[in-house]
Amino acid sequence: LVYLGAKRLVAAQRRLPLPAVPHAGAHAFRTGLAIALTNPQLAAFFVSFLPHFIDPLRGSTSLQFLELGLTFNACSFMVMSSIGIGTGIAHHADLGGARLGQVMRAVSGTAFIAVAAWSTWKLLR
């Protein structure tokens, strides 16, 4: 993490904008969909968290599980769609540019180094 953080901080010193990737939207969507469908963390979340909200006295537990899952997915879809639309608008309005890229690289580099320091401190404690 320290190496990745230092690499990001060095990259933040450059004022070059990130290169544009043609057709990145479709590729990003396919990649995100594949990751989401094969992510075991999501399955573990549903199996461990949702049963606490299922009441066998209220009817079919399978239907309750399905209702809670669909509600979760609908809420996630609205949040992620808002983020996607907002990023698309910012991209087409050319908000940010090279300076925002520099700031984001510096923030992420600092975050990597901070997480490395915190986890090392916790491990050695």
Side-chain angles (χ1 to χ4, degrees):
L1 286 175
V2 171
Y3 170 75
L4 292 174
K7 191 174 170 183
R8 297 295 289 174
L9 288 174
V10 169
Q13 299 302 315
R14 290 184 248 130
R15 290 189 69 84
L16 299 174
L18 296 176
V21 180
H23 309 293
H27 175 64
F29 177 78
R30 286 191 305 272
T31 303
L33 182 64
I35 290 171
L37 292 176
T38 59
N39 186 358
Q41 291 175 337
L42 187 60
F45 168 78
F46 280 114
V47 170
S48 63
F49 185 72
L50 288 185
H52 297 285
F53 298 98
I54 294 177
D55 183 9
L57 301 175
R58 294 189 63 217
S60 171
T61 55
S62 298
L63 287 176
Q64 289 181 53
F65 196 80
L66 181 65
E67 180 184 1
L68 289 170
L70 289 174
T71 303
F72 173 82
N73 284 318
C75 292
S76 295
F77 178 77
M78 288 188 288
V79 169
M80 294 301 168
S81 295
S82 300
I83 291 170
I85 290 169
T87 343
I89 290 170
H91 171 73
H92 289 297
D94 197 23
L95 298 177
R99 180 69 181 140
L100 180 62
Q102 280 185 293
V103 170
M104 293 307 296
R105 287 188 289 272
V107 168
S108 64
T110 304
F112 281 155
I113 292 171
V115 168
W118 179 79
S119 60
T120 304
W121 178 75
K122 287 297 245 184
L123 185 65
L124 296 177
R125 218 171 65 138

